[in-house]
Amino acid sequence: MRRKLAAGNWKMNGTGASLSEISALAKMYPDASVDILVCPPATLLDRAAHAEQASAVLVGGQNCHAATSGAHTGDLSAEMLRDAGATSVILGHSERREDHGEANEDVRDKARAAMDAGLTAIICVGESLQQREAANTLDIIGGQMSGSIPDQSTGENLVVAYEPIWAIGTGKVPTLEQIGEVHDFIRSRLERRFGEGVGRSVRLLYGGSVKPDNATEIFGVSNVDGALVGGASLKAQDFAGIIDALQKA
Ligand code: PGA
């Protein structure tokens, strides 16, 4: 059985005052039946992870460097994230692929570093609108998977997030059939590459305009084990609507 996962991606949002949202979640879910993860900006990681009240909520990073240490001004290693209290790190988000020119190989190298440091790598894949309209979605996802997912992946250290780029922050959501098609495809590719045992144990998240009012139907789709949530994870109240839906799924 895969344990479900509600992951919040705060992106470049939040200062110390926002830590109260994490404390609020921790208070609401002292004993959740799903994993709850918040990925705040790196400046908040240590405080978020070590706030006494926030212990029920896992925290994660949004990026890491592929090297363990060295002359890389402004970067953070996976080990540093881990040291600050992170259990996971989001890698290959489309905003990083676009803003920082991250290629599949870069994402793979970062994922290796994350796994070596004991973190779970949440590797994002997803097609652009143009690629979907050209009926290239599965080719794109397949290529991103083989290029970005390292050989050492297991059900513990890998989570795959399907995030169609055109659905991120837009309020547009694919149909349930479209989500199901991609998630089934990701599952079958994982099984083919890593064998059925590992392939079936990796959690698959859907991301892109997940809100409390569409979460239930999305969580009913086959091979959707949770969500990677941007905007609706910033406020505990909104994120709670999604966590509740996942707990009932
Ligand atoms: P969104 O972002 O929920 O605001 O669409 C999702 C993401 O980018 O992870």
Side-chain angles (χ1 to χ4, degrees):
M1 262 306 273
R2 296 182 295 271
R3 188 168 161 91
K4 302 211 152 72
L5 169 62
N9 173 12
W10 282 12
K11 310 191 178 185
M12 200 170 74
N13 297 291
T15 57
S18 320
L19 291 167
S20 62
E21 302 296 334
I22 298 178
S23 308
L25 284 174
K27 266 195 211 122
M28 280 185 248
Y29 302 101
D31 198 16
S33 62
V34 302
D35 283 342
I36 301 171
L37 171 74
V38 174
C39 299
T43 47
L44 295 179
L45 265 183
D46 186 72
R47 278 179 282 170
H50 296 110
E52 206 182 317
Q53 288 174 315
S55 57
V57 177
L58 302 168
V59 302
Q62 300 175 12
N63 174 47
C64 71
H65 197 278
T68 48
S69 63
H72 301 290
T73 302
D75 278 312
L76 296 171
S77 71
E79 206 175 280
M80 291 168 183
L81 299 180
R82 170 99 186 164
D83 180 56
T87 59
S88 316
V89 59
I90 299 168
L91 294 171
H93 191 283
S94 59
E95 287 153 16
R96 298 239 19 125
R97 290 179 188 263
E98 199 166 302
D99 294 356
H100 299 272
E102 288 185 8
N104 288 326
E105 296 66 36
D106 302 315
V107 178
R108 183 200 54 209
D109 292 348
K110 289 171 182 227
R112 277 190 189 136
M115 291 170 179
D116 288 346
L119 296 176
T120 296
I122 302 173
I123 298 182
C124 304
V125 296
E127 82 287 3
S128 66
L129 188 57
Q130 204 184 14
Q131 289 163 338
R132 176 160 283 278
E133 284 171 349
N136 283 334
T137 298
L138 298 185
D139 280 350
I140 294 293
I141 306 287
Q144 289 173 332
M145 287 181 68
S146 42
S148 311
I149 297 178
D151 290 335
Q152 73 209 78
S153 300
T154 67
E156 283 79 48
N157 67 16
L158 174 70
V159 170
V160 179
Y162 168 52
E163 299 206 310
I165 298 169
W166 50 275
I168 295 175
T170 57
K172 289 189 193 132
V173 181
T175 64
L176 301 180
E177 288 69 28
Q178 288 172 327
I179 295 174
E181 181 190 29
V182 175
H183 278 243
D184 289 350
F185 171 79
I186 294 174
R187 177 73 64 210
S188 71
R189 278 295 170 102
L190 289 172
E191 286 178 10
R192 198 169 83 185
R193 178 164 166 197
F194 295 105
E196 280 191 5
V198 169
R200 282 188 190 160
S201 63
V202 174
R203 292 178 288 180
L204 309 186
L205 308 182
Y206 168 76
S209 297
V210 178
K211 309 283 175 215
D213 62 5
N214 62 16
T216 299
E217 56 178 23
I218 292 171
F219 294 148
V221 175
S222 85
N223 281 312
V224 173
D225 304 309
L228 181 55
V229 184
S233 73
L234 294 172
K235 291 278 166 237
Q237 210 54 51
D238 295 338
F239 199 29
I242 293 167
I243 294 166
D244 290 343
L246 189 58
Q247 291 203 110
K248 284 186 205 134

